[in-house]
């Protein structure tokens, strides 16, 4: 092979590798490639193909099993299966005749599930997301907003503002560990948290602003503050920025409060969930703020 031909082949190979790394294409059966936008369009424009993909994410299935789960005609499902096979997302076992997801199909199905959860969460709490400032939640966690789909929005009226707060405090009292970020301060916070700290040896980690920390020290008895400083189960951090989010995550629940678009904290709405996904989401949000916080107690 001529030296010039070798250079051309190498350039072609590098071009293909760069396209794959950028996500421009996905390897299909037979070594062909397809555009990633076409993959998305192919799935979302057909509810049958989408349902088939999700059905196979549970494991290998025969045509009859897929039909029973998806609920469409055998002919329609066969066409969907053929399309998914052609795009390299599924394959059929020649011996059992059952269909399986390929590695690419598995990855795509995971992303489709994530999108489905996110859309469900967005739709379920549409007014809540629209009317509040989301800038206190980093993009990586906004991408996982579907983890909050099983939450319940506790809402009150101006006549009884304490309802979400009462629900929150009731849940707090039964927790074994507590992590929270709070740029706000309720009058009963110092007494409640001191009771938890001295009572059942609850592990407590709180991140707050410098202003709230100073007010907290002012409201708490000096002797109580000194005792808290010696407790190994209590950690208090101060952050210089305004988090624009108030939340608590414990072994039992996640409680999420947000600021309104005008900059005031919304005391009338609290998103609460006890699902493992929501609690993990809350822990990750806490760790995000903890990275920029300074421990003061």
């Amino acid at each position: 092979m001529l030296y010039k031909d070798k250079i051309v082949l190498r350039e072609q190979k590098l071009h293909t590798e760069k396209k794959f790394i950028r996500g421009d294409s996905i390897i299909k059966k037979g070594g062909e490639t397809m555009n990633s936008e076409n993959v998305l369009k192919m799935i979302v424009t057909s509810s049958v193909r989408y349902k088939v993909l999700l059905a196979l994410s549970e494991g290998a299935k025969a045509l009859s099993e897929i039909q029973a789960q998806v609920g469409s005609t055998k002919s329609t499902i066969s066409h969907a299966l053929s399309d998914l096979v052609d795009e390299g997302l599924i394959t059929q076992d020649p011996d059992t005749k059952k269909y399986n997801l390929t590695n690419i199909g598995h990855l795509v199905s995971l992303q489709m599930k994530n999108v489905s959860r996110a859309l469900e969460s967005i739709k379920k709490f549409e007014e809540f997301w629209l009317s509040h400032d989301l800038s206190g939640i980093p993009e990586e966690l906004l991408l996982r907003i579907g983890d909050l789909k099983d939450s319940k929005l506790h809402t009150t009226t101006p006549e009884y503002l304490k309802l979400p707060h009462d629900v929150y405090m009731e849940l707090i009292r039964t927790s074994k560990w507590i992590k929270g970020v709070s740029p706000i301060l309720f009058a009963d916070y110092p007494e409640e948290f001191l009771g938890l700290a001295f009572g059942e040896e609850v592990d407590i980690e709180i991140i707050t602003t410098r202003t709230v920390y100073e007010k907290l020290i002012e409201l708490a008895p000096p002797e109580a503050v000194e005792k808290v400083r010696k407790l190994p189960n209590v950690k208090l951090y101060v952050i210089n920025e305004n988090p624009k989010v108030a939340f608590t995550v414990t072994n039992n629940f996640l409680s999420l409060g947000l600021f309104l678009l005008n900059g005031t904290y919304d005391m009338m709405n609290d998103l609460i969930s006890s699902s493992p996904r929501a609690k993990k989401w809350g822990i990750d949000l806490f760790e995000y703020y903890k990275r920029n916080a300074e421990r003061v107690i």
Side-chain angles (χ1 to χ4, degrees):
M1 183 182 291
L2 296 176
Y3 179 72
K4 182 175 67 174
D5 294 333
K6 289 182 178 179
I7 292 176
V8 171
L9 286 174
R10 176 170 178 78
E11 289 178 347
Q12 290 175 342
K13 181 180 179 183
L14 288 172
H15 179 68
T16 301
E17 289 175 348
K18 288 177 181 178
K19 282 183 67 180
F20 183 76
I21 291 171
R22 289 200 311 266
D24 293 344
S25 57
I26 296 177
I27 301 296
K28 291 169 57 178
K29 184 178 179 181
E32 300 176 10
T33 61
M34 67 177 173
N35 188 281
S36 55
E37 292 181 4
N38 291 341
V39 179
L40 179 61
K41 183 178 179 180
M42 186 269 298
I43 297 171
V44 300
T45 55
S46 168
S47 62
V48 175
R49 285 193 289 262
Y50 174 73
K51 290 177 182 178
V52 168
L53 199 66
L54 294 187
L56 291 177
S57 70
E58 301 169 359
K61 287 181 172 63
L63 175 58
S64 59
E65 295 175 300
I66 298 172
Q67 183 184 10
Q69 185 167 342
V70 174
S72 189
T73 65
K74 184 175 291 187
S75 174
T76 302
I77 291 175
S78 294
H79 282 300
L81 288 168
S82 179
D83 291 339
L84 293 169
V85 168
D86 288 344
E87 299 298 352
L89 299 181
I90 68 172
T91 185
Q92 186 179 28
D93 189 299
D95 298 322
T96 65
K97 302 302 180 184
K98 289 189 173 185
Y99 292 90
N100 298 276
L101 291 180
T102 63
N103 286 341
I104 294 297
H106 176 63
L107 292 172
V108 170
S109 70
L110 289 176
Q111 293 303 318
M112 296 309 297
K113 287 180 180 179
N114 185 52
V115 170
S116 179
R117 283 194 300 267
L119 291 175
E120 187 176 342
S121 176
I122 292 170
K123 184 63 179 176
K124 184 177 180 181
F125 306 112
E126 183 176 1
E127 289 301 320
F128 183 70
W129 304 129
L130 278 173
S131 59
H132 291 81
D133 185 353
L134 302 182
S135 63
I137 304 174
E139 186 173 337
E140 58 264 32
L141 288 172
L142 287 176
L143 288 170
R144 289 169 45 197
I145 205 71
D147 293 348
L148 306 182
K149 76 179 185 68
D150 294 323
S151 303
K152 180 178 180 182
L153 184 61
H154 289 262
T155 304
T156 188
T157 62
E159 290 77 25
Y160 187 56
L161 283 175
K162 290 192 67 177
L163 179 59
H165 180 64
D166 290 344
V167 172
Y168 168 82
M169 293 310 302
E170 185 177 333
L171 290 169
I172 279 288
R173 295 182 190 112
T174 62
S175 298
K176 299 297 182 183
W177 55 264
I178 300 168
K179 298 177 186 291
V181 170
S182 182
I184 58 173
L185 180 65
F186 285 95
D188 55 348
Y189 271 10
E191 183 179 350
E192 290 286 352
F193 279 89
L194 282 174
L196 288 169
F198 291 121
E200 301 294 329
E201 294 189 356
V202 178
D203 289 326
I204 301 174
E205 287 189 87
I206 302 295
I207 300 171
T208 190
T209 62
R210 179 71 59 180
T211 301
V212 170
Y213 168 67
E214 291 173 354
K215 191 65 177 179
L216 187 65
I217 296 300
E218 178 186 328
L219 292 175
E223 61 275 13
V225 174
E226 288 306 311
K227 288 182 179 179
V228 169
R229 292 184 187 279
K230 299 176 182 179
L231 293 176
N233 59 309
V234 177
K235 296 177 181 177
L236 185 62
Y237 304 85
V238 166
I239 193 167
N240 292 325
E241 62 182 290
N242 182 354
K244 295 185 180 179
V245 61
F247 70 94
T248 302
V249 58
T250 79
N251 55 296
N252 292 328
F253 72 99
L254 165 70
S255 169
L256 175 67
L258 295 174
F259 285 73
L260 295 169
L261 297 177
N262 63 9
T264 61
Y265 181 71
D266 182 10
M267 297 178 59
M268 297 173 62
N269 292 281
D270 200 9
L271 206 64
I272 295 179
S273 177
S274 59
S275 77
R277 280 183 177 275
K279 288 186 285 186
K280 178 61 168 62
W281 189 92
I283 291 172
D284 292 343
L285 184 57
F286 178 82
E287 292 300 325
Y288 168 82
Y289 280 106
K290 185 177 176 180
R291 289 195 293 268
N292 295 317
E294 173 193 357
R295 185 175 177 182
V296 290
I297 289 181

